[in-house]
Amino acid sequence: MLSVEKAKQAVIENVSLLSVENIPIEKSYGYVLAEDIYSPLALPPFNQSAMDGYAFIFDDLKNKLPLKIIAEVAAGNQYKETLRSGDAIRIFTGAPVPLGADCIVMQEKVRVEINLLHILDTTLNPYSNIRLKGSQIEKEELALSKGTKVTAATIGFIAGMGITSIQVVRKPKVNVIVTGSELQKPGNPLKEGQIFESNSYSISAALNSMDLSADRIESVADNEVEVNAIIARSIETCDVLVLSGGISVGDYDFVERGLKNSTVEPIFYKVKQKPGKPLFFGKYKNTIVFALPGNPAAVLSCFYNYVYPALRKMQGFSSHFLKSVKLPISTDYPKKSGLSNFLNAKMDKDKILPLEGQASYILRSYAIADSIIYLPEESENLKAGELVEVFLLPK
Ligand code: AMP
Ligand code: MG
């Protein structure tokens, strides 16, 4: 049986970057940049007024006041001549600063008498209230690096440089298969012995939290022929196949055989961890396969620790695992050495609280958790105040 560390390493080693595609920026939210982007122009492209006010020559403050207001320039317009000493120009935010002018005073700090400008601001300096050309970014300067996730601000920044399409890493196609003859879809009446199927919902939402979505979600009963068939079909159409349930040692657990039947090469099966010991990871052509044990908390724990980093690596992120911090645990916690533990937990000021209800069938505690405590294999009974590693769950 593999240690958690070895298993995580095996996942990263067996996952490769997906291909790159060129897409319009308005479709690029949530993708990862596959290229460095250099600015094709200086931003701002010209010296720009940062205020509604008056443009003038700074040296005129000494002995030329009041100034004569001779023209007006608004955003989108231009004053075509060079400003002369003793003159001022009414200017608005975003308008190009007239040639010759090197200072802007905001309109709240002046007094205007007909067309004469008295400047009351004593704090002005050369270039006050002017956004200098190239002060955000110079032409040909590196604007965004490969590996950056495209956010609202990223898209706005790219559009502001006049760029309309970008190279991104293709998003992975993820198929999900949930197995179990006891599973009923929520919304239908529950028969004796059945439970509502929830793993496809949590897996799907965990993908959504990464700005991904499940391509195909299917359910199958614990029937060997059907399990074989659905795996064989699904595995041909995705980059990542995630299965839930049926990977343990019960008489009705057919997933391992089904994967073998589809010639999936096993990379590991079973990890020294709680929850989620019977986790399977394998490869088939360019598709990677995770078979997660069906208990709902084990599904999420395995998703965040193994599937999440795989999906991040495929998309070209430079960091793969959940962010981690070290925090003191807020209570004693009993643990035997042997298996690593993942505990759903909640930040409690500057401490971390393991929640009540850590059994792998329980989602109630997970539902209010914001993080996962990681207790390594060899660790034993923890004392309140001991430092532990904490992985932060995506919001
Ligand atoms: P298994 O790994 O198939 O042995 O399932 C372990 C436990 O998780 C059993 O109690 C199942 O009923 C439950 N389980 C399996 N799949 C799901 C699912 N998709 N939604 C909710 N519970 C599930
Ligand atoms: Mg089952």
Side-chain angles (χ1 to χ4, degrees):
M1 209 176 355
L2 225 51
S3 69
V4 165
E5 283 73 20
K6 289 257 160 60
K8 284 184 165 184
Q9 198 185 329
V11 168
I12 293 303
E13 280 167 6
N14 282 283
V15 168
S16 33
L17 188 69
L18 294 174
S19 58
V20 166
E21 58 188 11
N22 197 275
I23 57 170
I25 58 166
E26 54 271 40
K27 298 259 163 62
S28 70
Y29 179 82
Y31 281 83
V32 178
L33 280 182
E35 57 173 344
D36 289 336
I37 294 184
Y38 291 87
S39 184
L41 80 177
L43 285 184
F46 47 85
N47 287 349
Q48 218 173 43
S49 177
M51 292 288 168
D52 296 321
Y54 297 85
F56 63 98
I57 296 163
F58 180 76
D59 274 349
D60 285 357
L61 283 176
K62 286 183 207 142
N63 50 14
K64 292 279 165 70
L65 297 182
L67 303 174
K68 200 166 125 206
I69 303 167
I70 56 154
E72 175 185 292
V73 54
N77 286 344
Q78 201 189 345
Y79 178 72
K80 296 215 168 53
E81 284 144 58
T82 302
L83 189 71
R84 283 188 310 221
S85 179
D87 291 348
I89 293 203
R90 177 77 170 121
I91 196 163
F92 297 93
T93 306
V97 176
L99 228 54
D102 63 358
C103 192
I104 287 170
V105 59
M106 58 199 287
Q107 65 188 39
E108 292 85 348
K109 294 189 177 164
V110 301
R111 184 161 53 78
V112 179
E113 275 176 303
I114 311 174
N115 68 341
L116 290 182
L117 180 71
H118 297 268
I119 296 177
L120 312 176
D121 190 349
T122 55
T123 65
L124 291 169
N125 289 307
Y127 298 101
S128 284
N129 301 317
I130 294 177
R131 304 168 183 158
L132 289 175
K133 175 178 175 180
S135 57
Q136 174 166 205
I137 193 158
E138 294 289 359
K139 185 173 177 180
E140 310 299 348
E141 196 183 334
L142 179 65
L144 291 162
S145 305
K146 190 170 159 170
T148 304
K149 180 161 179 180
V150 179
T151 61
T154 316
I155 293 182
F157 184 36
I158 294 171
M161 290 184 279
I163 295 168
T164 54
S165 65
I166 51 176
Q167 300 269 104
V168 295
V169 182
R170 178 170 74 75
K171 284 197 185 185
K173 275 187 83 174
V174 184
N175 285 354
V176 176
I177 300 172
V178 293
T179 71
S181 297
E182 74 282 27
L183 305 175
Q184 179 61 277
K185 195 174 162 56
N188 295 327
L190 209 54
K191 297 199 193 93
E192 195 63 42
Q194 291 186 323
I195 59 163
F196 287 122
E197 194 284 299
S198 65
N199 289 341
S200 71
Y201 294 84
S202 47
I203 294 169
S204 198
L207 291 168
N208 294 162
S209 78
M210 306 177 72
D211 296 312
L212 299 173
S213 56
D215 222 63
R216 191 198 281 189
I217 302 173
E218 292 172 298
S219 274
V220 64
D222 295 315
N223 169 300
E224 186 164 5
V225 174
E226 287 176 32
V227 169
N228 285 351
I230 204 162
I231 291 176
R233 198 155 18 89
S234 186
I235 204 166
E236 296 294 347
T237 64
C238 60
D239 302 301
V240 182
L241 175 60
V242 180
L243 293 117
S244 111
I247 189 64
S248 200
V249 291
D251 291 354
Y252 294 91
D253 290 335
F254 296 118
V255 170
E256 195 198 1
R257 271 182 269 168
L259 294 170
K260 202 173 268 170
N261 181 66
S262 276
T263 70
V264 173
E265 174 206 340
I267 293 164
F268 63 75
Y269 177 39
K270 296 199 174 137
V271 180
K272 284 190 234 167
Q273 63 183 5
K274 195 176 128 186
K277 192 164 74 168
L279 169 66
F280 173 101
F281 174 61
K283 242 177 162 170
Y284 169 80
K285 297 183 191 161
N286 290 325
T287 299
I288 55 166
V289 180
F290 292 94
L292 318 179
N295 271 307
V299 163
L300 279 179
S301 190
C302 290
F303 185 95
Y304 287 123
N305 285 300
Y306 302 94
V307 185
Y308 177 93
L311 292 168
R312 297 221 1 136
K313 176 150 190 218
M314 295 177 113
Q315 292 178 87
F317 282 104
S318 46
S319 69
H320 306 133
F321 297 99
L322 289 178
K323 286 203 182 77
S324 84
V325 291
K326 291 251 177 185
L327 288 174
I329 192 164
S330 62
T331 57
D332 290 356
Y333 191 84
K335 179 186 178 296
K336 293 193 289 248
S337 81
L339 297 180
S340 294
N341 281 13
F342 293 104
L343 312 175
N344 48 63
K346 203 169 167 59
M347 302 277 184
D348 179 14
K349 301 200 184 90
D350 45 4
K351 295 201 177 76
I352 186 75
L353 173 70
L355 294 164
E356 290 285 329
Q358 294 289 341
S360 61
Y361 70 97
I362 295 178
L363 272 191
R364 184 179 182 176
S365 49
Y366 232 115
I368 56 164
D370 54 19
S371 43
I372 303 173
I373 297 175
Y374 173 58
L375 303 177
E377 256 168 63
E378 64 288 354
S379 73
E380 289 182 13
N381 299 330
L382 286 110
K383 290 263 162 277
E386 256 183 76
L387 279 186
V388 291
E389 184 166 14
V390 178
F391 292 107
L392 310 179
L393 291 170
K395 297 220 170 73

